[in-house]
Amino acid sequence: MQKKITSAIAAAAIAGAAQASDGISDGVVRIGVLTDMSGAYSGNVGPGSVLATKLAIEEFGGKVLGKPVEMLSADHLNKTDVAAGRAREWMDREKVDVVTELGNSAVALAVMNIAREKGRMTMVTGAGATRITGEDCSPNNVQWVYDTYALAKVGTLPLVEAGAKKWFFVTADYAFGHSLENDGMRFVKEGGGTVAGSARYPFPGNDFASFLLSAQSSKADAVAFASAGADLQNEIKQAREFGLAPKQKLVAMLMSITDVHGVGLEAGQGMTFAETFYWDMDKESRDFAQRFFKASGKMPTALQAGQYSAVLNYLRAVEKSGSDNVDVVMKTLRSMPIHDAFARNAHLREDGKLIHDTYVVEVKAPKDSKADWDYYKIVKTVPGEQAFMPLSESQCKLVKP
């Protein structure tokens, strides 16, 4: 008799837990887009990532499981304290279910910890430090678009193999820049190259003269910029002015289509780098890009397309699972096929990293560009399993030995 009572209590407890995790909490799905709206990365993410989120929500008709989907957005100013304060406010007062974008690795790491503490979810689409799904991984977080390991591997090895054996790095002095530099140096050396040196500048930067002169005097075959956004554009322009190219190969460790647009094809031509999306790949990418362009007058960056993809698949997971409970959504995302305008041959791994195809692209010369935003030639498609860090190397505690 005692066993029957105990079993009944246990069954009731399980049923109660299942019911608690079922459905939409508060009757609303709230998505917070915390991004750089005004700083160095605003062209890569910022207003475009807010727009991409709106497009994903519109694709669902503004509702999921019959409940409204609401979006909040804010500028983190590339400051961890600002980001942490806003994230806490959103989760405590606004009942935000998922905080996303988080372009800036230091910001992403801070907000991930808060979300885990409060039982909420984060979807990192704009930050690339390997720590995000490495030693600082969280069961409540995904890293959707890229990381510095994949950018460095796909972006440097082909150049080393082609003869650029000696490298110099100009690096943004914070978590993302350090991660990109470290991964870049690793793959240069693994490919048989050497590192002549590096120079770290305070982020954000404007005058790169002393750092570029150090790179020039190193006589390196390749000068790699471990930075992004407005900093990267200024570095490329100033490097051309100082005459580093064509004697030295200029290498962008993270470059977007808006960066190419910003520096122009004359300055950017011939640069090769790793990309995760190009608007003119196929019909799916073009259809999404045209919706984005109609609303913004610009083609989407890979990070903005990735933001659309992350939000779209979050809503798909909520719909499929019938719940916005973090554990349920994460489990569903890992079991779902992931395919959309951004993601190809994709799946979500146990460490929270989305594994998907990555591309080696080359910036076209002005004479080869047939229209506005016709900037890239896709040189090679690298399957995700080859581009991203294997689980055997992962320091994520969620990964089974």
Side-chain angles (χ1 to χ4, degrees):
M1 183 68 177
Q2 181 63 38
K3 287 183 178 179
K4 288 184 179 179
I5 294 173
T6 303
S7 297
I9 292 172
I14 292 170
Q19 188 173 11
S21 66
D22 208 31
I24 304 301
S25 59
D26 303 317
V28 180
V29 172
R30 292 187 177 89
I31 300 170
V33 184
L34 193 52
T35 186
D36 177 3
M37 294 290 285
S38 56
Y41 299 150
S42 58
N44 289 350
V45 287
S49 289
V50 173
L51 170 60
T53 304
K54 289 179 180 177
L55 293 176
I57 294 171
E58 286 174 4
E59 199 160 314
F60 259 74
K63 293 184 177 181
V64 61
L65 298 173
K67 304 297 183 181
V69 180
E70 295 181 358
M71 182 194 71
L72 292 79
S73 63
D75 189 347
H76 58 53
L77 303 176
N78 288 301
K79 296 180 179 179
T80 55
D81 58 338
V82 172
R86 181 51 59 96
R88 288 186 186 279
E89 178 186 339
W90 276 354
M91 293 175 199
D92 292 340
R93 298 182 185 177
E94 305 292 343
K95 307 302 179 186
V96 165
D97 297 292
V98 56
V99 180
T100 183
E101 208 292 296
L102 299 169
N104 180 308
S105 294
V107 162
L109 290 163
V111 176
M112 284 166 53
N113 288 333
I114 295 168
R116 183 174 183 178
E117 168 195 325
K118 295 183 176 294
R120 305 299 170 83
M121 186 172 168
T122 46
M123 302 188 85
V124 178
T125 62
T130 54
R131 290 171 52 190
I132 291 168
T133 48
E135 58 265 41
D136 293 314
C137 69
S138 164
N140 295 19
N141 178 68
V142 301
Q143 188 175 28
W144 203 260
V145 178
Y146 75 108
D147 66 16
T148 57
Y149 179 103
L151 291 180
K153 184 177 183 181
V154 175
T156 62
L157 274 177
L159 295 175
V160 176
E161 292 166 357
K165 297 296 186 182
K166 186 178 179 182
W167 289 61
F168 189 96
F169 287 78
V170 177
T171 303
D173 192 9
Y174 80 110
F176 166 74
H178 299 169
S179 185
L180 199 50
E181 178 189 83
N182 291 338
D183 287 327
M185 288 181 177
R186 168 187 171 172
F187 288 111
V188 166
K189 293 172 184 176
E190 286 188 7
T194 61
V195 177
S198 67
R200 292 182 173 181
Y201 69 87
F203 170 81
N206 288 306
D207 183 1
F208 298 95
S210 63
F211 310 107
L212 293 172
L213 289 173
S214 295
Q216 191 173 45
S217 64
S218 74
K219 301 189 184 302
D221 302 318
V223 177
F225 301 120
S227 55
D231 283 10
L232 173 65
Q233 293 182 39
N234 287 329
E235 287 166 337
I236 292 171
K237 290 174 182 177
Q238 292 177 31
R240 295 283 186 186
E241 291 169 4
F242 280 108
L244 274 70
K247 292 181 180 179
Q248 293 171 295
K249 177 76 172 177
L250 303 182
V251 181
M253 301 294 289
L254 172 59
M255 194 167 190
S256 76
I257 195 165
T258 52
D259 294 323
V260 177
H261 191 76
V263 301
L265 290 180
E266 191 65 41
Q269 63 181 308
M271 295 187 72
T272 59
F273 49 93
E275 260 287 22
T276 51
F277 171 85
Y278 180 45
W279 70 269
D280 201 20
M281 286 194 301
D282 55 28
K283 185 178 185 304
E284 279 183 288
S285 61
R286 284 190 289 272
D287 286 348
F288 163 70
Q290 290 301 331
R291 288 169 59 202
F292 187 97
F293 185 86
K294 185 177 180 180
S296 69
K298 300 177 182 179
M299 286 300 177
T301 66
L303 303 184
Q304 291 159 349
Q307 174 70 8
Y308 159 83
S309 171
V311 173
L312 184 68
N313 283 284
Y314 171 78
L315 294 174
R316 286 174 177 172
V318 171
E319 182 178 62
K320 183 175 181 180
S321 66
S323 173
D324 63 358
N325 175 274
V326 176
D327 295 337
V328 174
V329 172
M330 288 294 295
K331 183 178 180 180
T332 304
L333 277 171
R334 289 193 177 97
S335 68
M336 282 170 40
I338 307 290
H339 181 96
D340 52 52
F342 166 81
R344 300 291 186 279
N345 303 309
H347 66 276
L348 187 64
R349 218 164 55 176
E350 59 195 276
D351 58 352
K353 191 183 301 297
L354 186 72
I355 305 301
H356 55 83
D357 289 350
T358 302
Y359 313 95
V360 179
V361 300
E362 180 179 332
V363 178
K364 292 182 176 181
K367 64 182 178 61
D368 297 323
S369 177
K370 306 304 180 187
D372 288 344
W373 301 96
D374 176 26
Y375 293 160
Y376 291 170
K377 173 185 176 183
I378 297 179
V379 178
K380 183 180 181 181
T381 298
V382 181
E385 297 293 350
Q386 296 177 23
F388 291 93
M389 180 186 293
L391 283 177
S392 59
E393 293 183 30
S394 177
Q395 297 182 48
C396 175
K397 52 192 172 296
L398 303 174
V399 175
K400 297 176 182 177

